Amino acid sequence: MAKLLRDKMSSEAHISGGERHVRLCQQTKGAESLVLNIQPKIDNLQHKVNFRIGKVKARFSAYDNIVLKDGTLDDSIKNLADSAKQYDRNNPGRPVFNQMFPDGPPSSITDASFAKEIEKAESLLVRLKSLPDGHSLLSLDAVLTSAIEASRQAMLDHQGAVSEEKAAIAEEELAQATLREHYEFNFLDAIKLFGKAYANRLFPKLSSKKKKPVEEVAVEV
């Protein structure tokens, strides 16, 4: 009895089984219709696999961009802290560091998770903008604003990449199901064409290689 494709099998196992079946049919006179029936389903699954791999890479790239932009935001916050300390040394009696960083050192902001850091940085920006007109630290407003916006956009891009990857995985699973279905159809058609004993020869012994979960990058929010 031919072993059919199963849902628990990976896409690679689906494709391998389908291709081996095709090669056996190509060596069998009268099995041309079986090849024509299943080859497009194999090609479609391979396309979906390649598409999903591309989306996985895009997700990793988006995550790496979050880390990069977070580093830039960290620098802008630390530079503001250093400038505030320098201002306090140059202007005794008019301290601003504690006003800018009421929760302590800049690490109280930069050590937070990505999303929390953006929130804390936005609060810092509000405090910075509350300084009197002409204050020397206001020159750092644009730098901090730009870093916050870049980090926020990186987070949004990553969320979009995650959604696109999930959609690609769903499409791949549908392509797997279609291939499994037509693989079984081919077995039934092969029995009609050649009888059950010979039909079994056109279906290889399949590997039971199971699906593996796609590697994920956790983004602490």
Side-chain angles (χ1 to χ4, degrees):
M1 176 68 178
K3 184 177 180 181
L4 301 179
L5 297 172
R6 301 297 181 190
D7 175 65
K8 67 180 181 179
M9 294 179 177
S10 67
S11 288
E12 290 75 15
H14 278 70
I15 293 170
S16 176
E19 289 177 339
R20 292 168 66 195
H21 167 59
V22 165
R23 288 192 291 270
L24 292 171
C25 289
Q26 288 172 333
Q27 300 178 66
T28 303
K29 185 176 180 180
E32 295 81 6
S33 62
L34 301 181
V35 175
L36 291 174
N37 177 52
I38 203 166
Q39 187 63 59
K41 312 316 184 283
I42 298 171
D43 295 340
N44 181 57
L45 178 54
Q46 184 64 68
H47 172 72
K48 298 300 183 183
V49 168
N50 294 341
F51 184 71
R52 187 257 305 162
I53 290 173
K55 294 302 180 182
V56 171
K57 291 180 179 179
R59 171 172 58 80
F60 273 98
S61 178
Y63 176 82
D64 292 338
N65 193 45
I66 287 178
V67 177
L68 182 65
K69 296 300 187 291
D70 180 71
T72 300
L73 179 57
D74 287 351
D75 290 343
S76 68
I77 293 170
K78 292 174 183 177
N79 289 338
L80 175 56
D82 291 340
S83 296
K85 290 177 181 179
Q86 182 64 49
Y87 179 88
D88 288 350
R89 286 192 293 270
N90 295 337
N91 299 272
R94 291 188 294 170
V96 296
F97 180 83
N98 290 340
Q99 180 182 344
M100 293 294 97
F101 298 91
D103 296 325
S107 60
S108 64
I109 301 176
T110 59
D111 288 349
S113 64
F114 295 131
K116 288 294 184 183
E117 180 175 348
I118 292 174
E119 293 178 4
K120 290 175 177 287
E122 288 174 335
S123 296
L124 173 61
L125 182 60
V126 171
R127 294 192 292 273
L128 175 60
K129 289 183 175 181
S130 71
L131 293 175
D133 291 343
H135 197 290
S136 61
L137 292 185
L138 287 174
S139 61
L140 300 177
D141 173 7
V143 174
L144 182 56
T145 298
S146 177
I148 291 172
E149 291 177 349
S151 286
R152 185 187 299 111
Q153 186 60 54
M155 290 286 289
L156 291 173
D157 291 343
H158 181 265
Q159 291 171 7
V162 169
S163 295
E164 290 182 6
E165 182 189 349
K166 289 180 179 179
I169 291 172
E171 290 182 14
E172 181 180 342
E173 290 175 345
L174 287 174
Q176 284 183 0
T178 299
L179 177 54
R180 286 196 303 273
E181 181 180 47
H182 283 77
Y183 195 88
E184 183 174 358
F185 288 166
N186 266 19
F187 179 60
L188 297 175
D189 288 343
I191 292 175
K192 294 176 184 177
L193 289 170
F194 306 108
K196 190 170 184 179
Y198 193 89
N200 281 320
R201 301 180 187 179
L202 302 180
F203 295 83
K205 294 181 179 179
L206 300 177
S207 168
S208 59
K209 184 178 179 181
K210 297 182 179 180
K211 294 181 181 178
K212 293 182 179 180
V214 177
E215 183 177 2
E216 295 184 0
V217 173
V219 179
E220 185 184 359
V221 297

